[in-house]
Amino acid sequence: MAPTVRITRRLVETLSGGKISPQLSTQVQAEERQSKAVPVKKYPAVEKSHLRETVHYGNLLLKHEGNELRQVNEFADDLIKHEYVSPQKPIPCQSERQACFSCYKENKEDLSACSKVV
């Protein structure tokens, strides 16, 4: 349905910045009377078809939104899968650490015996 614009005397006076002439005033009043005489629901079948088209278009948008959401989720999952993970480095001096702990466990009474290991 095409949008309608109502031209009133006040609108014309506001836009022109002053009072309008009597001849123009009668034309504007005639147009106002004519616009009031036209019923709003002159074509109910047309309005129903517009409503159907709007509902159909809304359903298409919702369907498209679902596809877009699925694509965005797939892209996000792909990014997460390809996220950079630094390689695990071995703990430095692991063998020496184990040797030190085992020496302390074996020599609980004399800790000075483990001085060579430490």
Side-chain angles (χ1 to χ4, degrees):
M1 184 178 277
T4 57
V5 177
R6 293 188 61 206
I7 300 173
T8 62
R9 180 178 183 172
R10 183 175 176 195
L11 175 64
V12 173
E13 286 176 353
T14 304
L15 293 175
S16 66
K19 296 283 184 183
I20 58 174
S21 66
Q23 182 183 12
L24 187 57
S25 175
T26 56
Q27 290 174 351
V28 170
Q29 288 174 358
E31 288 177 6
E32 282 181 6
R33 276 186 254 124
Q34 207 174 31
S35 67
K36 289 179 184 176
V38 176
V40 175
K41 294 190 177 187
K42 187 174 182 181
Y43 305 105
V46 173
E47 289 180 6
K48 286 182 182 179
S49 70
H50 284 299
L51 180 62
R52 279 191 217 107
E53 288 176 14
T54 303
V55 169
H56 178 69
Y57 186 69
N59 289 335
L60 287 176
L61 287 175
L62 288 174
K63 183 178 178 183
H64 185 67
E65 179 187 16
N67 290 337
E68 288 288 325
L69 182 62
R70 181 184 50 77
Q71 288 176 352
V72 167
N73 285 336
E74 287 176 2
F75 184 68
D77 291 340
D78 190 42
L79 285 176
I80 290 170
K81 285 178 188 175
H82 291 95
E83 183 179 356
Y84 176 75
V85 179
S86 63
Q88 294 291 329
K89 295 181 181 178
I91 299 173
C93 305
Q94 182 70 23
S95 60
E96 290 85 0
R97 180 177 176 229
Q98 286 297 333
C100 187
F101 279 140
S102 63
C103 183
Y104 283 141
K105 283 183 183 178
E106 292 171 3
N107 301 313
K108 291 181 182 178
E109 310 297 325
D110 186 24
L111 297 177
S112 62
C114 296
S115 64
K116 295 179 183 177
V117 179
V118 177

